[in-house]
């Protein structure tokens, strides 16, 4: 009996010891970090012929393409993240990159580019098109953009293939920490997750999103060669900031303008005979520095122009000390501005014809007046200005662009980019109330001008802003039919005509402090008429706001509609 009892006790003890051993082993295994490793090829799982893009500290949604040992990145990525001055013409299959002095063109698969029309060989095609996807040579993008990149190979088993590329495009302070104790970089914030690689003491790691949520005591980090993973917080130093600085030399967009205060006057010229009255027109003015005759119009959707340019006109203006900036408009019948501007062939023809005529007749500048552009034409309009500015800069021609007062509906005119490219951004501070307005009102109230100045200065350097003011107003006619008031526009008179209309109808014009204009109203033939006048005093208020803002100058629409006393105001000689 005793023998069997002893055997039972021993057996129980052995079983308990075995349980403790097995449990201890399980506990040790549970508490011990995982030793499984994962190759970077498996971790990133990049398809053959591609490379993962790590943009600043994040993985980009699309991979780079690999072709002939070269890296190519999406065109959309380039313009959205790096350089908006790359332009792709889908219909004509041409890439254009513009700088202050160069128009660089490249076509798919070509191993050369054209720089201002001259061919220059490249080591690889600049443009690849695969399945409708447009990609650009990363080396070419880096040359013209404020980025830098570093490519990394795959694991040792396949070291010949680029696996990932780190692109830096955002500069400034980044958060780092140093490894204080040898440890592992893991695929997840879990000690059991696979090991990506060993990290050694002294290695510098970038903290992603400040290290992340620090789940389970782990930080989200990225190594210097772009491997993103998780590391124990206790194995790194206190975080510190380090500045990443750019070494890119940004292109300088120089201005042809002389920097003197501008007083621009538009001269409506509808035929060659009208060019002959320039001296008479200018004789009534004072202080005008530049005149813009309405000489050019887009004449075809292929980019041809019609011209009333006259070298004798230019010579006369120069004798009087006045520059000539020929105006080109898009008002022609059956002209599709989108078609003209979205076609590289048409756009180039328009640019070349304008510059050629300007140089042949001795003009000093070109004034662009493209109005009512459709939204979809916006990017092509800006590309037109980029390309034209290169030619104007090279030939000493002042480039100015007429624009509406900034508003939400016309953002696609891209005032900020215009402010970089052109010499003068002209703001047409009139037509506050226009022919189709639903209520009668001023053409250019003081608040309208003030807001135009303020909003434009937020986007364009003050020394490039010209505020254009009106020499005209609108006479509104209100009639009542069955108790309903119907608004109509009687006409759009100049200063003399407007003043005469008020006097002829026995109305009394009174100063309106809200608009800083004289206002008059009267009844005639069963209708009620209202008018906000433009004259020397109202113009003086606007001119003062422009000069207080220290802008480039003033524009005036248009010669022949003004009274002579306004020129003392515009020239700054009023008492």
């Amino acid at each position: 009996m005793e023998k069997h009892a002893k055997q039972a006790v021993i057996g129980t003890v052995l079983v308990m010891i075995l349980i403790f051993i097995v449990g201890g082993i399980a506990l040790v295994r549970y508490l011990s970090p995982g030793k499984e490793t994962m190759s970077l090829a498996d971790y990133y799982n990049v398809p053959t012929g591609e490379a993962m893009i790590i943009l600043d500290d994040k993985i980009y949604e699309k991979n780079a393409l690999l072709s002939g040992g070269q890296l190519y990145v999406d065109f959309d990525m380039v313009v959205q993240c790096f350089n908006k001055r790359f332009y792709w013409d889908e219909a004509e299959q041409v890439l254009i990159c513009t700088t202050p002095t160069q128009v660089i063109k490249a076509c798919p698969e070509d191993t050369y580019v054209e720089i201002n029309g001259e061919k220059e060989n490249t080591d690889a095609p600049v443009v690849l098109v695969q399945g409708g996807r447009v990609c650009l040579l990363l080396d070419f993008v880096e040359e013209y953009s404020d980025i830098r990149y570093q490519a990394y190979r795959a694991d040792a088993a396949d070291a010949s293939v680029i696996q990932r590329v780190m692109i830096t495009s955002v500069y400034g302070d980044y958060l780092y920490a140093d490894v204080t104790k040898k440890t592992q970089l893991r695929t997840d914030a879990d000690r059991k997750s696979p090991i990506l690689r060993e990290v050694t003491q002294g290695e510098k790691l970038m903290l992603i999103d400040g290290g992340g949520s620090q789940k389970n005591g782990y930080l989200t980090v990225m190594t210097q060669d772009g491997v993103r993973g998780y590391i124990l917080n206790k194995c790194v130093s206190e975080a510190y900031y380090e500045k990443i600085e750019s070494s890119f030399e940004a292109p300088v967009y120089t201005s042809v303008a002389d920097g003197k205060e501008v007083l621009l006057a538009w001269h409506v010229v509808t035929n060659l005979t009208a060019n002959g009255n320039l001296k008479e027109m200018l004789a009534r003015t004072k202080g005008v520095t530049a005149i813009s005759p309405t000489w050019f119009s887009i004449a075809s959707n292929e980019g041809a122009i019609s011209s009333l340019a006259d070298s004798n006109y230019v010579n006369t203006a120069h004798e009087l000390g006045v520059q000539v900036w020929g105006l080109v408009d898009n008002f022609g019948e059956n002209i599709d501005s989108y078609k003209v501007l979205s076609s590289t062939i048409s756009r180039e023809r328009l640019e070349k014809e304008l510059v050629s005529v300007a140089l042949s007749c001795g003009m000093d500048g070109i004034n662009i007046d493209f109005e009512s552009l459709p939204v979809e034409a916006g990017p092509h309009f800006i590309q037109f200005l980029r390309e034209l500015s290169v030619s104007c800069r090279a030939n000493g021609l002042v480039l100015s662009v007429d624009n509406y007062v900034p508003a939400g509906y016309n953002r696609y005119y891209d005032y900020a980019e215009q402010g970089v490219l052109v010499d003068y951004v002209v703001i047409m501070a009139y037509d506050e109330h226009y022919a189709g307005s639903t209520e009668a009102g001023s053409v250019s109230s003081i608040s309208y001008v003030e807001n135009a100045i303020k909003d434009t200065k937020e986007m364009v350097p003050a020394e490039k802003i010209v505020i254009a003011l009106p020499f005209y107003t609108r006479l509104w006619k209100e009639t009542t039919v069955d108790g309903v008031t119907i608004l109509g526009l009687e006409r759009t008179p100049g200063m003399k005509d407007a003043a005469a209309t008020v006097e002829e109808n026995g109305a009394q014009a009174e100063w309106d402090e809200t608009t800083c204009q004289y206002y008059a109203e009267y009844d005639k033939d069963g209708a009620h008429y209202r008018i906000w006048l433009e004259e020397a005093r109202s113009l003086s208020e606007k001119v003062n706001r422009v000069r207080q803002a220290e802008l480039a100058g003033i524009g005036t629409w248009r010669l022949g509609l003004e009274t002579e006393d306004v020129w003392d105001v515009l020239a700054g000689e009023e008492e």
Side-chain angles (χ1 to χ4, degrees):
M1 280 290 287
E2 284 184 23
K3 183 177 180 179
H4 287 299
K6 288 181 179 179
Q7 288 177 341
V9 170
I10 291 170
T12 300
V13 170
L14 289 174
V15 169
M16 291 181 66
I17 290 172
L18 180 61
I19 290 172
F20 280 127
I21 290 172
V22 171
I25 292 171
L27 180 61
V28 169
R29 286 180 176 174
Y30 174 76
L31 295 175
S32 299
K35 295 182 179 179
E36 177 189 357
T37 62
M38 179 180 285
S39 71
L40 293 180
D42 291 336
Y43 180 54
Y44 286 129
N45 193 26
V46 180
T48 302
E50 298 183 14
M52 174 175 286
I53 296 174
I54 301 162
L55 178 57
D56 299 309
D57 60 358
K58 293 180 174 58
I59 297 174
Y60 189 68
E61 59 188 18
K62 290 184 179 180
N63 292 334
L65 296 182
L66 289 166
S67 179
Q70 300 287 341
L71 284 160
Y72 290 82
V73 295
D74 269 44
F75 169 80
D76 290 341
M77 176 191 195
V78 173
V79 295
Q80 291 169 14
C81 303
F82 308 149
N83 189 338
K84 62 183 179 181
R85 295 184 183 119
F86 280 88
Y87 174 90
W88 172 248
D89 185 331
E90 176 68 30
E92 296 170 22
Q93 294 283 289
V94 59
L95 173 80
I96 303 174
C97 172
T98 53
T99 74
T101 59
Q102 297 175 321
V103 177
I104 305 156
K105 298 170 65 177
C107 295
E109 309 302 332
D110 286 348
T111 54
Y112 66 86
V113 295
E114 287 187 7
I115 302 178
N116 294 345
E118 298 293 327
K119 285 187 178 181
E120 185 174 301
N121 292 329
T122 56
D123 294 331
V126 168
V127 186
L128 288 184
V129 179
Q130 294 188 0
R133 183 183 177 188
V134 181
C135 293
L136 309 186
L137 182 66
L138 186 53
D139 282 341
F140 181 78
V141 174
E142 184 185 41
E143 183 177 353
Y144 294 99
S145 308
D146 191 5
I147 65 168
R148 62 189 187 202
Y149 82 90
Q150 181 66 51
Y152 294 96
R153 306 287 171 176
D155 297 328
D158 194 11
S160 64
V161 179
I162 295 174
Q163 180 193 63
R164 62 193 183 280
V165 55
M166 290 183 64
I167 303 177
T168 301
S169 68
V170 176
Y171 302 93
D173 291 328
Y174 282 81
L175 197 60
Y176 291 92
D178 296 327
V179 178
T180 57
K181 178 182 178 182
K182 181 180 178 181
T183 185
Q184 298 84 30
L185 184 72
R186 296 185 179 271
T187 62
D188 204 350
D190 185 338
R191 68 171 65 198
K192 296 297 184 182
S193 65
I195 298 170
L196 289 171
R197 52 169 277 194
E198 297 288 330
V199 287
T200 58
Q201 184 176 352
E203 191 170 342
K204 184 166 69 173
L205 303 173
M206 179 184 289
L207 303 187
I208 306 300
D209 297 328
S213 62
Q214 301 189 29
K215 176 184 174 184
N216 298 331
Y218 279 82
L219 295 172
T220 309
V221 300
M222 186 168 68
T223 64
Q224 293 295 286
D225 59 350
V227 179
R228 184 169 171 152
Y230 299 84
I231 191 172
L232 281 168
N233 190 7
K234 66 181 182 181
C235 293
V236 300
S237 68
E238 289 288 328
Y240 59 91
Y241 284 100
E242 189 169 293
K243 188 180 291 293
I244 296 180
E245 296 181 323
S246 169
S247 59
F248 181 71
E249 292 187 13
V252 178
Y253 285 80
T254 58
S255 177
V256 174
D258 59 17
K260 297 177 181 178
E261 184 174 321
V262 173
L263 180 49
L264 170 67
W266 280 287
H267 181 197
V268 173
V269 176
T270 58
N271 53 63
L272 289 172
T273 303
N275 284 325
N277 67 1
L278 174 64
K279 185 172 289 188
E280 177 187 349
M281 298 292 285
L282 285 177
R284 298 197 294 264
T285 70
K286 187 180 292 186
V288 172
T289 63
I291 191 162
S292 182
T294 57
W295 276 347
F296 310 111
S297 290
I298 300 177
S300 76
N301 290 329
E302 291 68 46
I305 62 171
S306 61
S307 174
L308 295 171
D310 182 351
S311 58
N312 290 328
Y313 182 105
V314 176
N315 292 336
T316 299
H318 287 173
E319 289 170 3
L320 297 171
V322 176
Q323 292 189 2
V324 178
W325 302 352
L327 178 147
V328 57
D329 66 47
N330 62 334
F331 306 159
E333 190 175 351
N334 300 320
I335 294 301
D336 185 330
S337 297
Y338 175 80
K339 282 186 177 180
V340 177
L341 297 174
S342 64
S343 163
T344 296
I345 293 173
S346 298
R347 206 172 51 247
E348 287 182 345
R349 179 178 179 182
L350 174 58
E351 294 156 8
K352 288 177 180 177
E353 288 196 11
L354 283 172
V355 172
S356 176
V357 176
L359 295 176
S360 67
C361 71
M363 281 164 44
D364 305 281
I366 298 172
N367 178 239
I368 307 298
D369 188 22
F370 289 176
E371 301 184 26
S372 300
L373 292 175
V375 174
E376 60 270 22
H380 310 293
F381 173 61
I382 295 301
Q383 182 62 19
F384 164 71
L385 295 181
R386 288 193 187 109
E387 294 165 4
L388 181 59
S389 74
V390 173
S391 292
C392 286
R393 204 170 286 112
N395 290 285
L397 294 170
V398 174
L399 180 58
S400 60
V401 184
D402 304 336
N403 294 275
Y404 304 112
V405 166
Y409 74 88
N410 57 34
R411 287 177 185 166
Y412 59 94
Y413 274 79
D414 200 344
Y415 295 68
E417 182 70 349
Q418 286 190 38
V420 173
L421 301 172
V422 308
D423 297 293
Y424 295 113
V425 175
V426 182
I427 301 298
M428 300 179 291
Y430 38 76
D431 281 354
E432 177 181 2
H433 292 84
Y434 50 94
S437 291
T438 57
E439 63 177 9
S442 169
V443 165
S444 180
S445 69
I446 195 64
S447 62
Y448 191 69
V449 174
E450 289 172 339
N451 288 332
I453 293 171
K454 177 180 70 68
D455 293 343
T456 307
K457 284 184 72 174
E458 291 176 359
M459 299 177 282
V460 179
E463 65 271 16
K464 287 193 171 188
I465 301 172
V466 173
I467 298 295
L469 303 174
F471 285 161
Y472 68 93
T473 186
R474 289 195 163 89
L475 177 62
W476 303 96
K477 178 181 180 180
E478 296 173 349
T479 55
T480 303
V481 179
D482 297 330
V484 177
T485 300
I486 301 172
L487 177 66
L489 179 64
E490 181 71 0
R491 65 180 189 278
T492 303
M495 290 181 172
K496 287 182 181 179
D497 187 7
T501 297
V502 171
E503 184 177 353
E504 288 167 3
N505 288 280
Q508 182 64 45
E510 296 183 356
W511 184 253
D512 175 19
E513 290 291 347
T514 301
T515 60
C516 284
Q517 291 174 295
Y518 284 103
Y519 168 75
E521 57 184 328
Y522 60 90
D523 295 314
K524 181 179 180 181
D525 299 332
H528 186 66
Y529 293 86
R530 307 174 69 189
I531 190 168
W532 284 259
L533 298 170
E534 286 295 352
E535 40 66 62
R537 183 178 176 184
S538 67
L539 208 60
S540 178
E541 294 285 347
K542 298 177 179 66
V543 169
N544 287 340
R545 302 303 194 277
V546 174
R547 292 196 169 124
Q548 288 165 8
E550 299 182 329
L551 306 184
I554 296 162
T556 57
W557 180 265
R558 61 181 174 86
L559 284 182
L561 296 181
E562 79 281 11
T563 52
E564 290 189 21
D565 57 343
V566 302
W567 291 109
D568 287 334
V569 172
L570 292 165
E573 297 180 4
E574 76 273 28
E575 294 182 1

